[in-house]
Each structure stands twice: as C-alpha cells, then as structure tokens.
Amino acid sequence: MIGSFLESAYEQVWERCFNAEPAISPITHFSADSASQKMHYYRYSNAKVSCWYKYLLFSYNIIFWLAGVVFLGVGLWAWSEKGVLSDLTKVTRMHGIDPVVLVLMVGVVMFTLGFAGCVGALRENICLLNFFCGTIVLIFFLELAVAVLAFLFQDWVRDRFREFFESNIKSYRDDIDLQNLIDSLQKANQCCGAYGPEDWDLNVYFNCSGASYSREKCGVPFSCCVPDPAQKVVNTQCGYDVRIQLKSKWDESIFTKGCIQALESWLPRNIYIVAGIFIAISLLQIFGIFLARTLISDIEAVKAGHHF
C-alpha cells in the first residue's frame, strides 16, 4: 500500500509540475507473492500541459474577475438606489453621461476577460484563451492609438472635451453621481466650468437669465468656491449670487480658471506619473498576452503529440 501511494504521488508531481517525462527512476515495493524486493520502472507515455503557466495565468485573471464582480455590484447597486433598474429609460433621458454607465462598462469588460482567462486556463480551452489574448491585444492597440491621436490632434481633443464638459454642466442637477463627479473635478483642480464660471449659464438653475426664479441664479456650485480654512463645515451656499458682483472681484471667492486650462497645466507637471501609469498598464497587458500565447502553444503541442 505504501509503495503504491509513493508511486502515484511521484507520477502526479512530476507530471504536473515538471511537465516532462521523468527519467527512468526505480520505485520499489514488496510483492504480495514473495518477500523478495522487486524493482519497477515507470515512464510516461502522455505529456501534460505545464502547470506553471496554467496556474500563473489563472492567478493573473482571478484578480480581474473578482474586480469585475465588484464593479458590476457597485454599478447595479447605484442604479438600484437611483431607481434606474425599474425604469431604464432614465439613462437615455439624461443630457450628460451617467458615471455608473462607465463603472458598469469597466465591470463587464473585466468580468468577461477574467472569466475567459480563468476558465480557459483551467480547462485548457484554446477558444477562450484566444478570445482573452485577442481582446487584450485589441485594447492595447486602442489605448496606443488614442494616446497618439490625442497628441497629434490636441485642438480637436480640446474641442470635444469642452463639448463633453458643457453637456454635463447642463445635467448637473439631474443626476447625483454626475454632480459628485463634477464637484470632485472642480475641487481637485481648483477650477470652475469648462473655460470659466460663465459656463454655468448653460445650467438652468445657475443661469443669469431674467426668466429664472432659481435661488442659485447667477451663482456657481459650492465646489467652485475658494475654501476658507476657518470653516470646518462645507458651506454649500457659498456660490450664491457670486456672478452678480463685478467680474474683477470673482477671484476673491471663487476659482476663475476653467477646468480645461487646469488639466492642460496639470499634465506637463505630472507627465512622468501619467507615463509611468501607462507603462505599468501596458506591461501588465503584455505579460497577460505572453502567458496566454505560451499556454496556447503548450496545449497545441501536447495535443499534436510534440510536447517539448
């Protein structure tokens, strides 16, 4: 019994972790027919896929799979709180973008790729592994193309970003998630509007038009206000009636720089951070492609009976 157990363990460890035929190695046990010790030799006839690449690719993808589940859970919970799940037409009625849609899109991509990578690695499924590898390659080249085009056509990108920002200013009060996103952007960059506080005339609540009866008329959101160190509680009404005053006095209470200019000045100061993040993401993608392609080649070689 002990001899048989050792033989089986030896075969499994060598087969799975060294992924090669073992050298002729003696395994001894006592025969039931006689007390004499007999020597037995074993050699594998069927090679197996390397467990190193297999489980390394699985470990690589399980993180993205779980992250995708988290993103999907958070996105669906946010939509549930806003009542979107009971009426999906609310998404189409918005003039701007719902940040939850971005969260769900990222979650779907990460969940799908993580699933394909994990199951493809464990089941040695070439179809799923090819899908995973091809999608990662596509995403990599899309990122590269966007970066190059953004550098070559800066004016066009600036105009599109302005249109995007202005359309979301119009929907500032329509969605709480969009409101929080714009407030965070303005506070972090100490900016107001796309090119200045006047852009808030695009919003019906902050418009200076005489037809408006909003209390926020001719004001700006609190995120545009210059913070007062003496105040421990955020004054959400600090932007009321600010734009009624002379324009020369605006900078005493609110930020007058637009968020597009703020981002344009932020990028050169942090170019090494941005480049480092891009390189790190690219290396992770290349590593995933390498693992997938190596495992695919290994599986094909084993199936063809030419495993090296």
Side-chain angles (χ1 to χ4, degrees), residues 242-277:
V242 168
R243 290 188 292 127
I244 296 177
Q245 305 173 16
L246 293 175
K247 196 171 182 178
S248 58
K249 295 184 177 180
W250 286 3
D251 56 2
E252 297 177 2
S253 54
I254 63 173
F255 303 120
T256 55
K257 180 171 60 176
C259 290
I260 293 180
Q261 294 100 318
L263 291 174
E264 287 177 343
S265 61
W266 176 88
L267 186 58
R269 296 196 310 267
N270 299 272
I271 188 64
Y272 294 110
I273 297 176
V274 175
I277 294 174

Side-chain angles (χ1 to χ4, degrees), residues 195-210:
Y195 278 96
E198 297 95 335
D199 290 331
W200 283 99
D201 274 332
L202 297 171
N203 188 279
V204 64
Y205 296 98
F206 298 98
N207 192 285
C208 284
S209 171

